[in-house]
Amino acid sequence: MDTAKLFVHKLPHAADLPLPRYMSDDAAGMDILAALDEPVVLLPGNRTLIPTGLQMAVPRGCEVQIRPRSGLALKQGIAVLNSPGTVDADYRGEVKVIIANLGREPFVITRGDRIAQMVLAKLTRADLAECEKLPDTARGKGGFGHTGV
Ligand SMILES: O=c1ccn([C@H]2C[C@H](O)[C@@H](COP(=O)(O)OP(=O)(O)OP(=O)(O)O)O2)c(=O)[nH]1
Ligand SMILES: [Mg+2]
């Protein structure tokens, strides 16, 4: 398995929190923690920005994706609104998570809660090449369910 060094800096409000970590041997994502001072009550239909207390230097050629946790999604309707959130390699601000409550009950987020997960992913940047005609394919313009359900 490939690994790459990911430098992280803990901000003072996360000083006592553990760093994100993989929760199983081959987990793709590290769970990330809410670096909140006070609990946040997120009402159904609302969204909020949760601090992680972390800055990071994502290696060039990679991104960090902020993704939901399926257990929270299934059991409580908790979503990462911009999923997958993108942390760019040149971003040095605090990483934050946009959490939305799509469930029917208020959702309480407390300091240290594992609210989402982060995946380090390699990326390919596009070098746009404008052209008059694209190569033909069998699918052509068919999409959005044109093959049926
Ligand atoms: O879930 C997220 C998404 C983004 N970011 C940070 C890192 C990212 O590099 C930066 C900008 O994100 P994005 O490009 O998605 O947002 P934008 O609305 O296009 O902002 P900008 O104009 O700053 O690029 O915000 C987070 O901390 N969490
Ligand atoms: Mg942007």
Side-chain angles (χ1 to χ4, degrees):
M1 192 182 321
D2 278 355
T3 60
K5 190 73 77 186
L6 176 55
F7 290 100
V8 292
H9 174 72
K10 259 193 208 178
L11 293 163
H13 56 281
D16 59 317
L17 291 176
L19 286 176
R21 66 184 180 93
Y22 295 109
M23 299 301 290
S24 68
D25 289 347
D26 292 330
M30 292 176 153
D31 284 356
I32 43 183
L33 283 59
L36 290 167
D37 293 328
E38 304 287 333
V40 167
V41 180
L42 189 57
L43 297 176
N46 283 16
R47 61 182 181 271
T48 189
L49 191 60
I50 302 292
T52 67
L54 293 177
Q55 294 164 301
M56 54 185 70
V58 177
R60 286 193 82 196
C62 294
E63 60 169 326
V64 160
Q65 299 177 353
I66 308 293
R67 302 193 195 166
R69 293 187 61 210
S70 63
L72 292 178
L74 177 66
K75 292 171 196 158
Q76 269 128 334
I78 296 304
V80 172
L81 190 57
N82 57 329
S83 181
T86 306
V87 181
D88 300 287
D90 54 357
Y91 177 72
R92 294 293 180 273
E94 181 178 6
V95 173
K96 298 184 181 180
V97 183
I98 306 170
I99 294 288
N101 183 354
L102 307 182
R104 294 204 185 91
E105 305 296 331
F107 181 69
V108 182
I109 306 171
T110 305
R111 183 176 185 77
D113 283 354
R114 292 183 285 132
I115 44 162
Q117 56 186 320
M118 52 174 263
V119 174
L120 178 64
K122 284 186 187 164
L123 58 84
T124 302
R125 286 185 96 184
D127 175 13
L128 292 188
E130 199 174 358
C131 58
E132 288 306 317
K133 189 176 183 311
L134 298 173
D136 288 326
T137 68
R139 172 189 283 270
K141 291 180 179 169
F144 309 98
H146 89 298
T147 57
V149 283

